[in-house]
Amino acid sequence: MLELPVNETITLRQLQPGDAPTLFNQLDASRRSLRRFLPWVDYNTNEEHTLRFIEMMLRKAEDQEAIAFGIWYQAQLCGVIDLHCWDHQLDKAEIGYWLGEQFRSKGIAVSACKALVSFAFQTLKLNKIEVRFALQNIESAQIPIRLGFAKEGILRHSAKLHGQYADTVVMGILRQDWKY
């Protein structure tokens, strides 16, 4: 199990099957706000779904396709951050994240993203990290902006949110531009 200390209050720890009940409860408590921009929330309706997600991400980690970490704040599981769409030819991956409502606006997501991007560049030797989010998701956009990601474009109608097409913003950062 991989663990990345972020600071004195935040740790990233690779999700394990035993985390499923706590993670599901955190998701369920924040379901209304999360589902606005994360359509997968509607398909995660019980602990078994969360367990299957964790098991899938563990398999993907073994195959170096993705890796998911629980975000632990003051020893409490408060969300998830992951690397996915890992492309070994281009040495790049996408980052995704979510936090429970009660943990937002505390700098947790920025700190977690910074730690994971540093890990991706320093340890995994990736060259580029991208983040994608719905154009309307202004809150999520602030995180890559604060970390120095560059806006690379808008993919029109590249996602569907609750039956409606949505534009997706793509932001990226190269290893050479990252400030460790």
Side-chain angles (χ1 to χ4, degrees):
M1 172 180 54
L2 188 56
E3 189 169 301
L4 305 175
V6 176
N7 58 35
E8 58 281 347
T9 59
I10 302 168
T11 301
L12 306 182
R13 192 185 82 215
Q14 192 173 9
L15 287 170
Q16 299 297 304
D19 297 325
T22 306
L23 186 60
F24 175 75
N25 289 338
Q26 191 60 251
L27 167 67
D28 204 39
S30 302
R31 182 174 300 282
R32 188 169 166 220
S33 65
L34 289 172
R35 79 176 293 277
R36 184 169 172 218
F37 297 114
L38 301 173
W40 58 262
V41 169
D42 288 345
Y43 305 105
N44 191 326
T45 59
N46 58 52
E47 286 180 25
E48 181 63 28
H49 295 148
T50 303
L51 176 61
R52 279 191 256 154
F53 164 75
I54 292 170
E55 291 172 342
M56 175 191 69
M57 292 305 281
L58 287 169
R59 284 190 303 275
K60 287 185 175 207
E62 285 178 17
D63 295 336
Q64 292 188 329
E65 295 174 0
I67 188 166
F69 293 91
I71 303 171
W72 297 81
Y73 174 71
Q74 297 179 342
Q76 189 173 5
L77 182 57
C78 65
V80 172
I81 188 165
D82 71 5
L83 286 174
H84 57 275
C85 297
W86 194 343
D87 183 325
H88 290 275
Q89 284 192 336
L90 294 176
D91 296 322
K92 73 174 189 170
E94 293 180 26
I95 193 169
Y97 43 84
W98 66 266
L99 287 175
E101 285 179 27
Q102 69 187 38
F103 297 98
R104 297 177 195 158
S105 301
K106 297 179 185 299
I108 297 169
V110 171
S111 295
C113 284
K114 185 175 183 179
L116 187 55
V117 171
S118 290
F119 171 77
F121 287 148
Q122 294 172 335
T123 304
L124 302 178
K125 304 300 183 201
L126 296 181
N127 183 58
K128 183 178 183 183
I129 301 296
E130 294 178 348
V131 63
R132 295 168 187 245
F133 51 87
L135 181 62
Q136 302 89 340
N137 194 346
I138 296 164
E139 185 177 301
S140 189
Q142 297 310 306
I143 295 163
I145 290 169
R146 286 182 59 188
L147 293 175
F149 281 61
K151 184 176 178 182
E152 297 186 345
I154 296 175
L155 304 175
R156 299 181 320 145
H157 287 200
S158 63
K160 227 175 190 180
L161 295 174
H162 314 296
Q164 301 295 313
Y165 292 107
D167 296 345
T168 302
V169 177
V170 179
M171 297 186 75
I173 193 158
L174 302 176
R175 183 184 338 164
Q176 68 191 29
D177 299 328
W178 182 245
K179 309 286 188 258
Y180 299 99

